[in-house]
Amino acid sequence: MKLNRIAAVTALGIMAAAGTAQAAEMVVGFAQVGSESGWRAAETKTAKLRAHQDKVNLRISDAQQKQENEIKAIRSFVAQGVDGILLAPVVATGWDSVLREARDAKVPVFLLDRQIDTSDPTLYTAAVTSDTVLEGHMIGDHLAKLTNNKCRIVELQGTVGSSPAINRKKGFEEAIAAHPDMKIVRSQSGDFTRSGGKTVMESFIKAEDGGKNICAVFAHNDDMGIGAIQAIKEAGLKPGKDILVVSIDGVPDMFKAMANGEANGTVELSPDMAGPALKALIALKSNGTEPQKWIKTPSTLYTPATAAAEYKRRAPLY
Ligand code: GZL
């Protein structure tokens, strides 16, 4: 009897250890867009932190904002036999074939911070993103209130073909459609970067009589908004006053700009997209729990009124 009991306890012990070891050995590939913005860098930093906390071995590839590099990374992760893949899809189209390979190899894929256009929802397990249409709508409503529903707006779009650029534009236009005196008079992509935002804003200022005819700039992310602030200053104008600045992400530098009176509002986007994805992947792998298809992160409007305090709260995250 005694021997059987010892054997059973030993077997349990080995299984438990193996179980823990298995969770510790979970390997996940992260096909990251790149490091085009402060928010993107914070998403990568947070992903590393969450992986460490969840005892996941996270392998990150930086695609330098090129879809072909993300596709190569996904193929490589599948070949390595990873337990799961996180994908932040730089653009919304062109994923079906490589995601079919991952699905057929039984490697679950979680989308982070951007959606894809596909007619086959089985190509990914879940998407962890904000409601990017809502973000555009919220900041459009905010600008309408700031300008009493009358404003000539220039728009700095995000990466062409990316879901946030398409959706934020859609939501913003829905918000201002209710106000005939609010018009987007110029719109161009700054590719979600500070330098792109600055360069495009310089061209808008030149085209609009030195900026005198521009009431506000709507930037699809804070980094392009910060670039626009630099361009407005270099044109001898006051950002936040002569030309209002509204954007999305909620990075610390935008809170600093608002506290300095140089910007007028931002909608916060959580950089923690990997956390919910890893939790869902672990639940799927360990007890077969299927996650909901869209794990939605919150969107909150912030204005200069609370910017100084909020800046202090956020800096450690970035
Ligand atoms: C939005 C995310 C965007 C950020 C940008 O969900 O994909 O990509 O708003 C980043 O800062 O470049």
Side-chain angles (χ1 to χ4, degrees), residues 10-51:
T10 312
L12 267 177
I14 290 165
M15 274 164 64
T20 320
Q22 196 196 352
E25 279 156 16
M26 183 179 275
V27 179
V28 174
F30 181 7
Q32 177 59 296
V33 168
S35 51
E36 73 282 1
S37 69
W39 182 89
R40 181 69 57 195
E43 183 189 50
T44 301
K45 181 179 174 184
T46 310
K48 288 175 183 168
L49 177 72
R50 292 288 179 244

Side-chain angles (χ1 to χ4, degrees), residues 3-274:
L3 265 180
N4 282 348
R5 215 146 57 80
I6 290 167
V9 168
T10 312
L12 267 177
I14 290 165
M15 274 164 64
T20 320
Q22 196 196 352
E25 279 156 16
M26 183 179 275
V27 179
V28 174
F30 181 7
Q32 177 59 296
V33 168
S35 51
E36 73 282 1
S37 69
W39 182 89
R40 181 69 57 195
E43 183 189 50
T44 301
K45 181 179 174 184
T46 310
K48 288 175 183 168
L49 177 72
R50 292 288 179 244
H52 176 73
Q53 290 168 338
D54 290 344
K55 297 185 175 50
V56 165
N57 174 352
L58 188 68
R59 297 173 182 169
I60 303 177
S61 78
D62 176 336
Q64 313 276 321
Q65 285 190 278
K66 290 185 176 60
Q67 181 175 31
E68 64 265 25
N69 291 343
E70 289 198 291
I71 290 171
K72 274 190 211 126
I74 293 166
R75 289 209 162 99
S76 164
F77 292 142
V78 171
Q80 293 165 41
V82 297
D83 299 289
I85 292 173
L86 308 182
L87 167 64
V90 60
V91 291
T93 55
W95 299 102
D96 280 19
S97 131
V98 72
L99 292 184
R100 210 170 289 123
E101 293 169 32
R103 183 196 57 194
D104 295 349
K106 302 204 180 344
V107 179
V109 174
F110 286 76
L111 304 181
L112 298 195
D113 75 78
R114 296 185 185 180
Q115 296 279 3
I116 63 170
D117 288 349
T118 180
S119 55
D120 183 355
T122 70
L123 291 180
Y124 64 93
T125 303
V128 181
T129 80
S130 59
D131 181 337
T132 46
V133 174
L134 173 66
E135 293 165 339
H137 205 114
M138 286 169 74
I139 204 69
D141 278 344
H142 178 59
L143 185 60
K145 289 192 183 77
L146 288 177
T147 58
N148 208 3
N149 309 328
K150 186 174 168 47
C151 192
R152 287 181 95 253
I153 305 154
V154 293
E155 180 184 29
L156 298 170
Q157 295 186 37
T159 301
V160 176
S162 68
S163 63
I166 294 162
N167 292 341
R168 287 171 179 172
K169 181 173 189 54
K170 178 168 183 278
F172 186 87
E173 286 175 345
E174 281 169 359
I176 66 169
H179 311 297
D181 290 335
M182 292 192 77
K183 273 188 186 48
I184 296 175
V185 294
R186 289 179 191 278
S187 180
Q188 194 181 324
S189 174
D191 210 16
F192 281 133
T193 66
R194 289 193 185 194
S195 58
K198 182 170 189 279
T199 304
V200 175
M201 189 64 192
E202 284 164 350
S203 70
F204 288 162
I205 288 168
K206 227 174 259 134
E208 290 289 332
D209 192 11
K212 284 194 217 52
N213 303 336
I214 301 174
C215 153
V217 52
F218 161 47
H220 288 188
N221 81 330
D222 289 347
D223 279 66
M224 293 191 292
I226 290 157
I229 287 169
Q230 286 159 0
I232 294 166
K233 283 182 180 172
E234 286 173 14
L237 298 168
K238 291 193 184 68
K241 295 178 184 57
D242 298 331
I243 298 179
L244 303 184
V245 180
V246 294
S247 60
I248 298 164
D249 274 356
V251 299
D253 282 351
M254 183 47 78
F255 283 95
K256 205 190 294 180
M258 287 198 286
N260 296 338
E262 295 177 345
N264 308 90
T266 185
V267 175
E268 182 185 46
L269 172 72
S270 168
D272 185 12
M273 301 282 179

Side-chain angles (χ1 to χ4, degrees), residues 254-308:
M254 183 47 78
F255 283 95
K256 205 190 294 180
M258 287 198 286
N260 296 338
E262 295 177 345
N264 308 90
T266 185
V267 175
E268 182 185 46
L269 172 72
S270 168
D272 185 12
M273 301 282 179
L278 291 176
K279 291 251 169 303
L281 174 62
I282 290 166
L284 176 68
K285 286 282 185 180
S286 41
N287 46 39
T289 309
E290 281 294 334
Q292 65 219 73
K293 202 70 184 171
W294 183 14
I295 301 170
K296 194 171 12 172
T297 60
S299 303
T300 313
L301 173 71
Y302 285 94
T303 68
T306 61

